[in-house]
Amino acid sequence: GHVLCVVGARPNFMKIAPIMRAFSAAAVPIPCRLVHTGQHYDAAMKASFFTQLRIPEPDLDLGVGSGSHAVQTAEIMKRFEPELDANPPRAVLVVGDVNSTIACSLVAVKKAIPVIHVEAGLRSGDRAMPEEINRILTDQLSDLLFTTELDAAANLQREGIDPARVLFVGNVMIDSLMQSLELAIPAERTFERFAEPLVAGEPFGLVTLHRPSNVDDPEVLETLLDVLCEISADMPLLFPMHPRTRAKVEAFGLEGRLASSGIRVTGPLSYLEMLGVMQRSALVLTDSGGLQEETTALGIPCLTLRHSTERPITVTEGTNTIVGTAADRIFAAYREFRQTGGKAGRVPPLWDGRAAERIAGKIGDWLVAG
Ligand code: UD1
């Protein structure tokens, strides 16, 4: 029997890569198959990640594409079920909190196939966030829950999940980071894309935004872009833009504002380009979950443009500050960064590059115990 690994969206790719490598490298290798749901399909959102992270081509691509949450989730479920019938796995392994994660978990559990969730137990406390619903439900359905930080176990216990099924192993996202840093594409190469290149050696900030709560509402997005424009008059900003955000900026007619600022906008960067620019950035401003973790691992100050985080250890131990989306609070945090050089932190326990190895070990034991 094999373990069926599922990926769907960009933040899944850097989590599955080290896990699949650890499965092959285990003392008793763990056979696996890979399904890509096709939730993310653009070359910039998918293909470059498979190549750079050395993920094997998926055994199956469900090709679901975009849609409303209901349509996308339902379509994944319909197309995933026949794979379970054709090649019944010993377990289905899902990562993170995207629609592909909950959709495949729900199909598997109803067929009495055990679900393994990597990155379990994270909670923002904000149920308006689609990922929060995906997290809560996936954890309820899972047989084996691997966590990245110690707080997660308490969240799961509060929701009635048997602690015996919860295993603290560390953060596979940081495994990928550590395995890839020496391959990172130098920031200078990415700067060359711009008519007015950033100057190597001069401080710059890195920005990403894609949460529906930040980009789908014209007023919120306009405020955030205005704040970023003003910051960019003091320190240039590099803004690799998610397709969702790009579509909203165009729909709301906000391109002009960006063009006349110190913000360099580009399409989504590949993983190795992103690592290259992140490593060199003085400050990161983001609403991404992964970037909150990566900046903590790299010791780069991060301002999170959200009202909550499901990754509190990046605040208590790491370099992250939750600043919300109000202009005055973001400016205040930016001024503090300018005065102090930004928040220092330390790397959280077990973010050591070996989480996938621990996961493979535990799954190996669990398969033997049957
Ligand atoms: C998804 C995840 C989010 C994750 C993010 C990372 C869910 C609920 N959300 O959000 O947690 O942080 O991925 O990127 O699963 N689009 C393209 N090309 C693509 C994919 C998407 O153009 O390859 C555009 C489409 O207009 C689409 C929109 O982006 O409608 C949103 O895509 P979707 O997969 O629904 O969610 P994300 O916003 O990417």
Side-chain angles (χ1 to χ4, degrees), residues 161-173:
I161 290 164
D162 177 2
R165 289 189 281 154
V166 179
L167 299 161
F168 173 48
V169 290
N171 194 332
V172 289
M173 186 100 165

Side-chain angles (χ1 to χ4, degrees), residues 9-11 39-42 45 66 69 72 97-99 130-131 134 210-211 242-244:
R10 185 171 60 178
Q39 177 174 347
H40 284 173
Y41 44 88
D42 280 357
M45 299 295 283
S66 301
H69 285 273
Q72 189 176 60
D97 55 16
V98 302
N99 286 343
E131 294 79 7
N134 295 342
H210 74 282
R211 296 272 155 232
H242 188 288
R244 171 188 205 103

Side-chain angles (χ1 to χ4, degrees), residues 292-351:
Q292 292 174 53
E293 298 185 331
E294 289 162 341
T295 48
T296 274
L298 292 172
I300 294 165
C302 177
L303 303 183
T304 293
L305 307 178
R306 287 174 42 188
H307 301 286
S308 59
T309 182
E310 60 287 336
R311 294 160 161 89
I313 201 153
T314 60
V315 176
T316 54
E317 299 270 310
T319 54
N320 190 18
T321 310
I322 305 299
V323 294
T325 56
D328 54 344
R329 281 214 50 209
I330 303 171
F331 285 132
Y334 178 72
R335 274 194 303 273
E336 192 177 329
F337 154 76
R338 281 305 245 173
Q339 278 156 16
T340 65
K343 189 179 170 193
R346 36 167 201 244
V347 179
L350 300 193
W351 291 21

